[in-house]
Amino acid sequence: MNDFLTEMEYVGLTSRLKRLSDSLLYSTKELYKSEGLDIEPNWNLIFILLQENEAMTITEISETLQFSHPAVVKIINKMKKNGHVETRTDTEDKRKQILTLTEKAHKQLPLFEKYWTAGRQTVMDLLEDSPNFLEEFLKIEEKVNQSDYKERTLKNLKNDELSN
């Protein structure tokens, strides 16, 4: 059976990226569930940041990961509910919440890290025939940061109108 999105070439790119991302995400969720781990796939980034920095605000995490503030709040709320993150109010700015890993998180980190290391190896295995993938991906991200899809498409439409 032919893959319609592959046949669509560049037009199908964003859908193919989403499909791949979803496949990896759901498979990771299934792995964690089957192994009895009470974490979700994107939590490892927060664990690593809080382990390295000891304490951070949601804004600092959001800026570091370049995730939206609401996306980070959603992740943090789930982690708090599972007992992995705790918050305290900043003594200087009462509006800020300082996030830290809980004792439970610190105890479970060595086990989680085993899975993350194995997962990193899995991704490396998947990319073994594409040694420059991360470099090429970074170039695309940098271009999108300079001028996003909307800006580029509007420019192409304007250029097309000028040439007609």
Side-chain angles (χ1 to χ4, degrees):
M1 180 177 192
N2 292 341
D3 183 344
F4 179 73
L5 294 179
T6 303
E7 290 175 3
M8 295 300 298
E9 295 180 343
Y10 293 109
V11 175
L13 179 64
T14 56
S15 294
R16 289 176 66 196
L17 288 170
K18 173 84 168 104
R19 180 173 66 188
L20 177 60
S21 175
D22 287 350
S23 174
L24 293 171
L25 178 74
Y26 293 127
S27 184
T28 304
K29 279 185 175 186
E30 280 299 311
L31 169 68
Y32 291 162
K33 184 178 178 181
S34 72
E35 296 294 309
L37 302 177
D38 64 340
I39 57 173
E40 293 190 19
N42 54 0
W43 293 8
N44 65 324
L45 302 171
I46 308 293
F47 274 107
I48 293 166
L49 280 175
L50 291 177
Q51 187 179 28
E52 288 179 0
N53 297 286
E54 292 187 29
M56 295 179 79
T57 65
I58 288 176
T59 300
E60 290 169 335
I61 293 170
S62 175
E63 289 172 356
T64 301
L65 297 176
Q66 297 181 30
F67 285 6
S68 71
H69 195 272
V72 173
V73 168
K74 186 176 179 180
I75 295 168
I76 293 300
N77 284 340
K78 288 181 180 180
M79 291 179 76
K80 282 170 60 174
K81 185 178 178 182
N82 277 43
H84 295 296
V85 171
E86 54 193 4
T87 58
R88 61 178 162 76
T89 303
D90 188 322
T91 54
E92 295 176 19
D93 185 347
K94 302 291 184 202
R95 297 170 297 168
K96 288 184 182 179
Q97 293 293 307
I98 309 296
L99 306 166
T100 57
L101 293 175
T102 63
E103 187 177 327
K104 173 185 175 181
H106 283 289
K107 285 181 181 175
Q108 291 182 310
L109 266 171
L111 176 62
F112 295 160
E113 288 170 341
K114 287 181 183 180
Y115 283 89
W116 298 335
T117 299
R120 185 179 311 110
Q121 184 59 52
T122 298
V123 172
M124 290 169 60
D125 293 345
L126 292 170
L127 297 176
E128 70 184 345
D129 294 330
S130 306
N132 298 322
F133 178 82
L134 291 178
E135 293 170 21
E136 295 300 321
F137 196 78
L138 178 61
K139 289 178 189 176
I140 295 168
E141 288 177 314
E142 288 171 346
K143 285 182 179 180
V144 170
N145 286 336
Q146 290 169 3
S147 177
D148 67 17
Y149 180 87
K150 176 185 172 187
E151 293 167 346
R152 290 171 182 272
T153 302
L154 289 173
K155 180 181 175 186
N156 289 334
L157 284 169
K158 186 175 181 180
N159 289 342
D160 189 45
E161 288 173 5
L162 292 176
S163 65
N164 287 336

